[in-house]
Amino acid sequence: MSTDDHIIEIVPCSQNSISHIIGPGGETIQRLQAETNTRIEIIAGPKVSITGTKQEEVSAAKEKIEAIIEHQANPDYEGEEGRTLRHQATEFASARTLKMKEADAAFAANDKQKGHDLLQEAKRLGEEMRQSNADAGRAIIAFNNHENGDSVLDLHGLRAEEAVDAVKLRLNHLAAVNSSKSSSSSVASVDVICGAGLHTKAGHAVALMPAVEKYLRENNFVFVKRGVATLVVNLIEDIANRSGSGDVEPATSGSTIEASPAVVEAPVAQSVASSPAVNVANEAKPATAVAPPSASPTPAGQKTKDSTNSCCAVM
């Protein structure tokens, strides 16, 4: 379609894909407009209207928009490396369960030595499983955040404990940056994207948001919930309170950051405004549900309890 000197393309989209097209604070849609020299608007339908003066620029914008819509419809929150490591962890878990059953049979037959050996093998497989899951968590964090700066942390694809560890690490890093008198790159807030559970498999609870909220409350961080998917942590108010109490030492990696006890959770924030061309509220990507950790092997000489380990975060 063209009007005068302008070319217009209309791309149908789902309601759920709108927040991905807009991005945090309108960041994605503004970047797309700058990269393609076009004007991009969300219109009734919902649809995406792309306006430009050159066909190649409008086509480039359309291709990028369609890629976002496709990714949202069929999201990949793990990446090839993370997916492979999760699969390895699942295989280790299955092998461990088998060894524990064999150990049960050995103890029942009064073959204590064999039972002990099988439990040792189950223990080794459990350690391999945990290591694969830890490696998978790191790979998934890198995959989902390779284009994000310090102010955005996407937790999709993680287990609850992995998500909390990732939040700790990011906040520890930024606490050190913001408390450094020589730093000129302070970060005012962090968007922690937990997701809305739109791609969660039936029967699994969405565990990321409650786990992260619990950690932030227990450590007195100032934060607000934006929409159903994102927690915005206020770092400037946190460092001000820490400075006022004399607690300004940079936190070490992996430790708990504690703010002043006077800090309380702020009221729920309204949706962040997007670019001037867009009047749709900004939300974050859908969440993953997280499988519970499995039990450790039973000590030698005792009846083992068969357990099924679900190693993968659920999409």
Side-chain angles (χ1 to χ4, degrees):
M1 179 189 303
S2 62
T3 58
D4 299 330
D5 295 331
H6 291 86
I7 300 166
I8 301 174
E9 286 276 6
I10 303 296
V11 181
C13 66
S14 67
Q15 192 68 38
N16 292 334
S17 66
I18 292 174
S19 62
H20 299 265
I21 296 168
I22 296 171
E27 178 183 334
T28 301
I29 198 168
Q30 291 169 12
R31 173 173 54 79
L32 291 175
Q33 290 180 130
E35 289 175 351
T36 61
N37 194 33
T38 59
R39 180 176 178 81
I40 302 172
E41 300 175 274
I42 306 298
I43 60 176
K47 298 177 182 178
V48 182
S49 173
I50 307 168
T51 305
T53 57
K54 296 181 180 179
Q55 182 62 57
E56 60 268 25
E57 293 175 341
V58 172
S59 296
K62 180 182 178 182
E63 183 177 340
K64 291 175 183 289
I65 293 292
E66 288 176 337
I68 293 173
I69 294 171
E70 172 61 24
H71 175 74
Q72 193 282 326
N74 301 285
D76 178 6
Y77 294 132
E78 294 182 318
E80 184 175 352
E81 183 182 3
R83 191 160 42 251
T84 298
L85 289 165
R86 287 291 196 213
H87 180 68
Q88 288 178 358
T90 301
E91 290 184 330
F92 284 130
S94 297
R96 186 189 68 163
T97 298
L98 179 60
K99 292 299 179 184
M100 292 172 71
K101 289 181 177 179
E102 291 175 355
D104 277 346
F107 284 122
N110 205 31
D111 190 341
K112 295 183 179 180
Q113 183 59 50
K114 183 177 180 181
H116 174 75
D117 292 343
L118 287 166
L119 283 180
Q120 288 299 111
E121 179 64 11
K123 180 180 179 181
R124 183 191 67 78
L125 290 167
E127 291 171 351
E128 295 275 13
M129 176 195 71
R130 285 185 285 274
Q131 185 60 55
S132 290
N133 271 325
D135 292 342
R138 285 188 285 270
I140 290 168
I141 278 285
F143 177 76
N144 286 325
N145 291 276
H146 68 280
E147 293 184 350
N148 296 335
D150 281 345
S151 62
V152 177
L153 179 61
D154 190 338
L155 302 177
H156 281 95
L158 298 180
R159 293 175 159 200
E161 63 270 22
E162 294 168 347
V164 170
D165 285 344
V167 171
K168 286 181 184 179
L169 190 63
R170 176 63 61 86
L171 295 181
N172 282 328
H173 165 67
L174 293 177
V177 170
N178 287 355
S179 62
S180 173
K181 292 181 173 61
S182 61
S183 175
S184 59
S185 56
S186 295
V187 177
S189 65
V190 178
D191 287 4
V192 180
I193 303 173
C194 300
L198 299 179
H199 295 274
T200 301
K201 291 182 180 178
H204 293 272
V206 179
L208 297 191
M209 180 77 78
V212 174
E213 281 188 288
K214 181 175 182 290
Y215 168 74
L216 294 174
R217 285 196 182 97
E218 288 178 348
N219 292 277
N220 300 316
F221 280 99
V222 175
F223 68 100
V224 295
K225 185 181 291 186
R226 188 171 68 217
V228 296
T230 303
L231 299 172
V232 183
V233 184
N234 185 329
L235 299 178
I236 297 301
E237 188 164 347
D238 173 59
I239 195 63
N241 279 280
R242 288 160 61 83
S243 298
S245 64
D247 179 17
V248 295
E249 291 299 318
T252 57
S253 176
S255 66
T256 298
I257 306 172
E258 294 186 357
S260 165
V263 179
V264 296
E265 182 181 352
V268 175
Q270 299 298 317
S271 297
V272 175
S274 60
S275 69
V278 183
N279 59 1
V280 182
N282 175 42
E283 295 180 359
K285 294 190 289 187
T288 61
V290 180
S294 58
S296 300
T298 307
Q302 296 182 16
K303 181 73 173 178
T304 60
K305 182 179 180 180
D306 183 22
S307 62
T308 301
N309 178 73
S310 179
C311 296
C312 300
V314 182
M315 297 300 103

